[in-house]
């Protein structure tokens, strides 16, 4: 089975049948030759079979209407992706193809021998570069349409696969190229982190955004989301939940910590220490073991009998759940994501304590192909592996949604505590460019009231110095929504219920990323580098080009070097001041952590114990997450925060090192124009 068939089935929403086609080795050629009986055997369900036959018929008609003769590439009839890269295609058609195809970096001993009449020694890249262009059967004019992005991506991936297979050399260039080809497959997604306290409406908001009311269960008094949940699109027709577990070793360590916390709790009467999980350690252990854990050693609780229903936890591997409906999937994965205080007969064992992350995939969604919504706990997790993943997610979020109820949006302490606690990870330590403060339950609110709430929230933002040290007012927006009203399909006032605006933001993020465009661009550069690496044409002109490039490179590098040196000196000065301040005041910082205000003196021992046990991190049931490491380093980080933000801004409109990196240019366009008949392929990857 080739990429063409796989991509066609995916495009037609028939990816569930890919395995059947692979088993019968159906490739592009045999796809067009399938008869009715063979299709009936491949696709056993009537609905998908009817859809497949209709799509195949249209595909055959489309192929029959194309012009078989060769003609120049018509960019006006191409898809945007093909048109974007048409200079490469046009250049190839204008050149002597035999010369172009004759070069490769594969060692000559790996190439097939030829006659001594000067013919090509290898056809290594002939098929690759020929298939780079639309084949004769796919030559579309502007009236008939254009090659789809799916077809382009399929063709180019096949090309790069064959190129990679023929890179047998052990030299650095071959290894580099294989790594670059492999990196083309790396999926790049925008992460949108969704924060908020239990009951604020995070799950309902996500359900409304994707228009699937029953997908994520809404929190109740006795329940809360206990793990990180990612929501993204799938090309398949089913709803899926991919469940990733922590390791058995991690769970054993956590069980030991939970039991120790229970012993410590017997001596404590206040709520300043401990974990911020939805349930206490007793509840967390009881969720998985019922009452069996009491009185047993930690080692005994690792017996495989407790994990008989989840063999994926023991392997470990991803557990995949599927359903034809959002509600059906929700019923299946609820025990892996939620903590419930009232167990039912249907669910006697909850597995969320063992879960690291759940990825929910929804079909028929056009704005989550390259965007992932992540429902995140506000203060990390007591489990180290989950806490590490939480930190990585925070740092990778390009946008953050803080969800809170409208009635107390500006004054709700927990929402602002979450944002303040994560601001350093999101800002100078991360990739966040936008913060959206989303006020839920705006039902029946008047526009004047909406305006007052938004103004109050923005004023509160300005007061929060911890946040504004990392984010400007331009990066902060306030929205009001009513998920309930939106899901009911009632007449929605877009100025009061702004869910459609949020969906448009997600769509813009999604559309800004084109898998096909990124892959084709990268493939262009790799193939061009391969050609340039072995080109022996017009050595004198190549030397001229190299001389010009070296001159331009030295000039540009000196400018960048000067900018970096100036900024480095400024950082060193700020850090010296921070070090001096830390030396004088670090004891005060430590005391404020160990002896927080309004707590009894004896809480010192418990606070210190929790901090040591959790690598310096304290997660109280109420209030902010506290990281002793960050507290002690705060004078250093604060001394460079402002300079760091200006030097490495998250805003893509601004360049790093005061724009010095963005200003870097080798001015290759003029060289490509002058030497296009000789070294176009060598220079193409260097365009700026």
């Amino acid at each position: 089975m080739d990429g063409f068939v796989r991509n066609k089935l995916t495009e037609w929403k028939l990816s569930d049948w890919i395995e059947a086609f692979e088993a019968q080795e159906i490739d592009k050629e045999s796809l067009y030759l399938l008869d009715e009986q063979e299709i009936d055997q491949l696709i056993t369900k009537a609905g998908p079979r009817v859809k497949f036959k209709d799509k195949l018929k249209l595909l055959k008609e489309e192929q029959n209407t194309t012009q078989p003769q060769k003609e120049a590439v018509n960019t006006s009839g191409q898809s945007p992706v093909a048109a974007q890269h048409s200079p490469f295609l046009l250049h190839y058609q204008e050149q002597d193809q035999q010369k172009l195809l004759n070069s490769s970096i594969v060692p000559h001993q790996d190439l097939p021998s030829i006659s001594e009449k000067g013919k090509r020694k290898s056809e290594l890249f002939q098929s690759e570069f020929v298939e780079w262009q639309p084949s004769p059967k796919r030559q579309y004019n502007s009236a008939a349409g254009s090659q789809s992005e799916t077809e382009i991506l399929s063709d180019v991936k096949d090309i790069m696969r064959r190129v990679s297979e023929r890179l047998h050399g052990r030299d650095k260039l071959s290894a580099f190229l294989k790594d670059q080809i492999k990196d083309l497959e790396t999926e790049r997604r925008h992460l949108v982190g969704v924060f908020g306290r239990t009951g604020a409406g995070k799950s309902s908001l996500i359900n409304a955004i994707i228009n699937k009311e029953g997908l994520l269960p809404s929190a109740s008094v006795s329940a809360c989301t206990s793990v990180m949940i990612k929501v993204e699109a799938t090309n398949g027709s089913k709803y899926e939940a991919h469940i990733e577990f922590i390791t058995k070793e991690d769970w054993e360590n956590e069980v030991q910590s939970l039991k120790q916390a229970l012993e410590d709790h017997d001596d404590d009467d206040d709520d300043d220490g401990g974990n911020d999980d939805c349930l206490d350690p007793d509840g967390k252990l009881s969720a998985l073991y019922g009452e069996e854990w009491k009185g047993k050693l930690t080692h005994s609780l690792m017996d495989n009998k407790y994990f008989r229903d989840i063999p994926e936890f023991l392997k470990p591997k991803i557990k995949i759940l599927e359903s034809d409906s959002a509600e059906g999937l929700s019923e299946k994965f609820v025990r892996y994501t939620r903590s419930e205080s009232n167990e039912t007969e249907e669910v006697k064992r909850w597995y969320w304590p063992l879960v690291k992350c759940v990825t929910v995939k929804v079909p028929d969604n056009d704005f989550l192909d390259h965007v992932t919504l992540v429902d995140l706990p506000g203060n990390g997790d007591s489990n180290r592996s989950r806490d590490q993943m939480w930190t990585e997610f925070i740092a990778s979020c390009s946008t953050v949604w803080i969800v809170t109820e409208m009635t107390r949006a500006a004054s709700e302490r927990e929402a602002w505590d979450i944002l303040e606690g994560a601001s350093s990870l999101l800002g100078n330590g991360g990739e966040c460019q936008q913060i959206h403060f989303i006020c839920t339950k705006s039902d029946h609110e008047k526009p004047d009231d909406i305006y007052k709430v938004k103004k109050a929230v923005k004023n509160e933002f300005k007061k929060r110095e911890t946040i504004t040290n990392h984010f400007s007012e331009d990066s902060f927006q306030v929205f009001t929504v009513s998920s309930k009203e939106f899901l009911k399909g009632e007449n929605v006032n877009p100025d009061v219920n702004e869910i459609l605006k949020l969906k448009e933001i997600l769509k813009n993020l999604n559309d800004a990323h084109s898998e096909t465009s990124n892959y084709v661009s990268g493939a262009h550069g790799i193939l061009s580098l391969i050609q340039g690496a072995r080109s022996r044409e017009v050595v004198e002109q190549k030397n001229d080009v190299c001389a010009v490039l070296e001159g331009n490179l030295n000039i540009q590098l000196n400018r960048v070097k000067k900018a970096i040196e100036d900024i480095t000196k400024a950082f060193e000065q700020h850090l010296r001041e921070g070090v001096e301040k830390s030396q004088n005041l670090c004891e005060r910082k430590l005391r404020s952590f160990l002896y927080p205000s309004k707590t009894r003196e004896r809480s010192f021992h418990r606070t210190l114990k929790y901090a040591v046990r959790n690598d310096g991190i304290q997660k109280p049931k109420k209030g902010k997450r506290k990281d002793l490491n960050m507290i002690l380093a705060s004078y250093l980080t604060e001394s460079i925060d402002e300079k760091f933000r200006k030097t490495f801004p998250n805003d893509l409109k601004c360049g790093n090192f005061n724009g010095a990196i963005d200003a870097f240019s080798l001015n290759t366009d003029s060289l490509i124009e002058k030497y296009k008949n000789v070294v176009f392929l060598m220079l193409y990857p260097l365009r700026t």
Side-chain angles (χ1 to χ4, degrees):
M1 180 178 182
D2 56 22
F4 176 81
V5 177
R6 183 180 294 105
N7 286 323
K8 275 299 171 188
L9 291 174
T10 301
E11 179 184 340
W12 296 343
K13 306 296 184 184
L14 296 169
S15 58
D16 292 343
W17 301 96
I18 288 177
E19 187 174 342
F21 278 70
E22 285 181 338
Q24 297 301 319
E25 300 182 358
I26 306 297
D27 58 13
K28 179 180 177 181
E29 181 180 358
S30 58
L31 178 70
Y32 288 100
L33 300 175
L34 288 174
D35 58 28
E36 293 286 329
Q37 183 178 354
E38 289 165 337
I39 294 174
D40 292 346
Q41 293 174 349
L42 281 168
I43 304 178
T44 56
K45 291 185 178 181
R49 184 167 61 244
V50 172
K51 182 188 296 185
F52 174 83
K53 289 180 179 180
D54 182 60
K55 294 290 186 181
L56 182 60
K57 180 182 177 182
L58 292 175
L59 181 63
K60 289 179 178 179
E61 291 175 353
E62 187 179 72
Q63 292 294 342
N64 291 333
T65 59
T66 59
Q67 299 298 323
Q69 69 272 18
K70 277 194 175 183
E71 54 186 330
V73 177
N74 183 354
T75 59
S76 64
Q78 291 177 323
S79 71
V81 174
Q84 177 184 350
H85 302 292
S86 59
F88 185 89
L89 304 175
L90 288 169
H91 173 80
Y92 171 70
Q93 289 186 325
E94 293 170 357
Q95 304 308 305
D96 180 351
Q97 296 185 11
Q98 299 302 315
K99 292 180 182 178
L100 207 57
L101 300 174
N102 198 28
S103 61
S104 79
I105 65 165
V106 180
H108 289 298
Q109 60 267 28
D110 293 333
L111 304 179
S113 60
I114 58 152
S115 67
E116 298 178 359
K117 295 183 179 181
K119 295 181 180 179
R120 286 181 290 116
K121 291 187 178 181
S122 170
E123 295 185 356
L124 169 63
F125 294 108
Q126 181 177 19
S127 60
E128 279 73 6
F129 276 97
V130 169
E131 290 197 37
W132 184 273
Q133 310 170 73
S135 62
K137 288 186 178 181
R138 286 187 183 170
Q139 294 289 343
Y140 295 91
N141 55 37
S142 57
S146 63
Q147 189 179 11
S148 72
E149 287 199 19
T150 303
E151 292 170 328
I152 293 172
L153 185 60
S154 173
D155 286 349
V156 179
K157 283 189 174 183
D158 283 343
I159 292 170
M160 301 313 293
R161 176 182 54 79
R162 291 195 291 272
V163 170
S164 181
E165 289 173 354
R166 296 297 300 273
L167 289 171
H168 303 310
R170 296 184 178 181
D171 56 287
K172 291 183 178 180
L173 182 55
S174 294
F176 170 78
L177 288 170
K178 287 183 77 71
D179 288 341
Q180 292 300 301
I181 293 173
K182 184 178 179 180
D183 188 56
L184 290 175
E185 298 288 347
T186 303
E187 187 179 21
R188 295 170 176 82
R189 306 185 67 89
H190 288 285
L191 292 186
V192 177
V194 185
F195 295 87
R197 65 173 181 80
T198 302
K202 291 187 299 177
S203 298
S204 296
L205 174 62
I206 293 175
N207 287 342
I209 289 291
I210 61 177
N211 206 26
K212 303 295 179 184
E213 183 173 6
L215 184 61
L216 301 185
S218 299
S220 63
V221 175
S222 62
C224 71
T225 303
S226 304
V227 301
M228 289 170 282
I229 300 178
K230 299 192 294 181
V231 180
E232 54 194 44
T234 177
N235 290 322
S237 59
K238 293 182 179 293
Y239 292 84
E240 301 174 7
H242 294 223
I243 301 167
E244 180 181 356
F245 295 97
I246 62 176
T247 65
K248 191 174 182 181
E249 181 183 5
D250 279 343
W251 176 238
E252 186 171 4
N253 292 334
E254 186 170 359
V255 169
Q256 186 62 40
S257 296
L258 291 170
K259 294 180 73 175
Q260 184 63 52
L262 283 169
E263 293 177 11
D264 296 341
H265 184 70
D266 293 339
D267 301 324
D268 298 327
D269 298 322
D270 54 53
D271 293 323
D272 295 314
N275 300 312
D276 67 346
D277 298 315
C278 293
L279 295 179
D280 57 13
D282 187 316
K284 197 168 190 178
L285 291 169
S286 297
L288 180 62
Y289 297 108
E291 298 297 313
E292 292 184 45
W293 66 272
K294 296 181 178 179
K296 287 192 176 183
L297 298 175
T298 300
H299 179 73
S300 300
L301 296 175
M302 295 302 110
D303 192 295
N304 288 349
K305 69 178 182 180
Y306 295 112
F307 317 109
R308 191 175 295 121
D309 294 337
I310 46 171
E312 296 86 355
F313 169 72
L314 299 173
K315 291 185 179 179
K317 60 180 291 188
I318 302 294
K319 184 178 183 67
I320 300 177
L321 304 174
E322 292 184 338
S323 178
D324 293 325
S325 67
E327 294 80 4
L329 183 68
S330 180
E331 291 176 4
K332 288 183 177 182
F333 76 75
V334 65
R335 65 167 61 186
Y336 298 94
T337 62
R338 312 283 287 180
S339 60
E340 300 279 357
S341 61
N342 298 319
E343 290 191 4
T344 63
E345 289 299 321
E346 292 78 13
V347 182
K348 294 182 179 180
R349 196 181 299 277
W350 300 88
Y351 296 123
W352 60 265
L354 305 176
V355 175
K356 188 175 184 180
C357 179
V358 175
T359 301
V360 177
K361 296 179 178 287
V362 296
D364 302 322
N365 185 285
D366 61 354
F367 56 83
L368 293 181
D369 288 324
H370 309 297
V371 174
T372 297
L373 295 173
V374 190
D375 186 346
L376 290 161
N379 285 332
D381 196 278
S382 58
N383 176 272
R384 292 186 182 183
S385 61
R386 280 195 295 262
D387 196 65
Q388 182 179 358
M389 177 177 277
W390 179 85
T391 302
E392 291 171 355
F393 277 154
I394 296 290
S396 300
C397 288
S398 60
T399 302
V400 164
W401 291 358
I402 304 296
V403 182
T404 185
E405 292 182 20
M406 181 173 172
T407 53
R408 47 178 180 170
S411 59
E412 185 185 311
R413 177 180 172 181
E414 190 168 350
W416 292 105
D417 283 349
I418 289 172
L419 186 53
E420 285 187 331
S423 60
S424 62
L425 293 172
L426 293 166
N428 287 351
E431 302 175 11
C432 184
Q433 300 170 39
Q434 293 289 326
I435 298 175
H436 297 157
F437 207 92
I438 301 175
C439 309
T440 62
K441 304 177 182 178
S442 65
D443 315 56
H444 312 300
E445 295 289 345
K446 298 178 181 178
D448 287 345
D449 294 331
I450 295 290
Y451 173 79
K452 291 177 181 178
V453 168
K454 288 187 173 183
K455 184 177 180 180
V457 171
K458 290 179 180 179
N459 287 336
E460 185 64 26
F461 171 80
K462 296 176 185 178
K463 300 175 184 177
R464 302 279 175 163
E465 187 176 342
T466 304
I467 304 172
T468 56
N469 282 340
H470 298 274
F471 298 97
S472 65
E473 291 182 41
D474 293 336
S475 64
F476 185 80
Q477 291 180 273
V478 185
F479 297 88
T480 55
V481 302
S482 172
S483 303
K484 182 178 179 181
E485 181 184 62
F486 186 85
L487 288 168
K488 281 183 177 179
E490 299 175 354
N491 294 327
V492 176
N493 182 346
D495 294 326
V496 175
N497 194 346
E498 298 178 291
I499 285 181
L500 288 177
K501 293 181 182 179
L502 293 175
K503 294 180 73 168
E504 185 65 24
I505 289 171
L506 294 177
K507 193 172 189 310
N508 290 337
L509 279 175
N510 189 74
D511 293 346
H513 176 104
S514 168
E515 180 185 5
T516 304
S517 180
N518 291 342
Y519 193 98
V520 172
S521 295
H524 273 182
I526 293 170
L527 292 175
S528 301
L529 180 58
I530 290 173
Q531 295 295 340
R534 288 293 298 275
S535 176
R536 298 182 177 86
E537 301 289 335
V538 195
V539 174
E540 182 179 346
Q541 289 188 352
K542 287 176 66 176
N543 291 338
D544 290 343
V545 172
C546 288
V548 174
L549 286 174
E550 287 179 2
N552 291 346
L553 181 63
N554 288 331
I555 293 173
Q556 295 297 324
L557 285 178
N558 285 333
R559 291 175 179 172
V560 173
K561 182 180 179 181
K562 177 66 166 56
I564 292 176
E565 287 176 347
D566 292 344
I567 290 171
T568 299
K569 290 179 181 178
F571 271 117
E572 289 175 347
Q573 177 59 35
H574 287 302
L575 284 172
R576 279 194 291 269
E577 296 171 358
V579 168
E580 183 177 351
K581 198 170 183 179
S582 293
Q583 290 174 335
N584 295 331
L585 300 174
C586 66
E587 187 175 336
R588 181 187 302 176
K589 286 281 188 182
L590 179 60
R591 178 168 289 275
S592 68
F593 176 85
L594 296 175
Y595 300 97
S597 60
K598 299 180 181 179
T599 59
R600 293 192 295 272
E601 189 74 15
R602 69 186 184 90
S603 67
F604 155 77
H605 298 286
R606 187 196 51 199
T607 302
L608 181 60
K609 183 164 51 180
Y610 279 127
V612 171
R613 184 181 299 156
N614 295 297
D615 297 327
I617 297 174
Q618 183 196 21
K619 305 180 186 69
K621 290 182 179 179
K622 297 179 181 179
K624 298 180 183 179
R625 159 193 171 106
K626 297 179 181 179
D627 187 336
L628 180 58
N629 307 293
M630 295 301 297
I631 289 173
L632 293 177
S634 61
Y635 288 121
L636 288 174
T637 56
E638 289 169 3
S639 69
I640 62 170
D641 269 347
E642 184 178 357
K643 188 67 177 177
F644 191 96
R645 184 178 59 171
K646 292 179 179 179
T647 305
F648 305 103
N650 286 356
D651 187 350
L652 296 179
K653 297 178 182 178
C654 307
N656 291 333
F657 291 103
N658 297 330
I661 303 296
D662 286 355
F664 183 94
S665 173
L666 293 178
N667 299 316
T668 57
D669 287 343
S670 59
L671 289 174
I672 289 174
E673 180 65 27
K674 184 175 181 181
Y675 297 102
K676 63 181 179 180
N677 292 327
V678 180
V679 290
F680 175 88
L681 293 174
M682 183 179 71
L683 291 173
Y684 193 88
L686 299 178
R687 291 184 312 157
T688 55

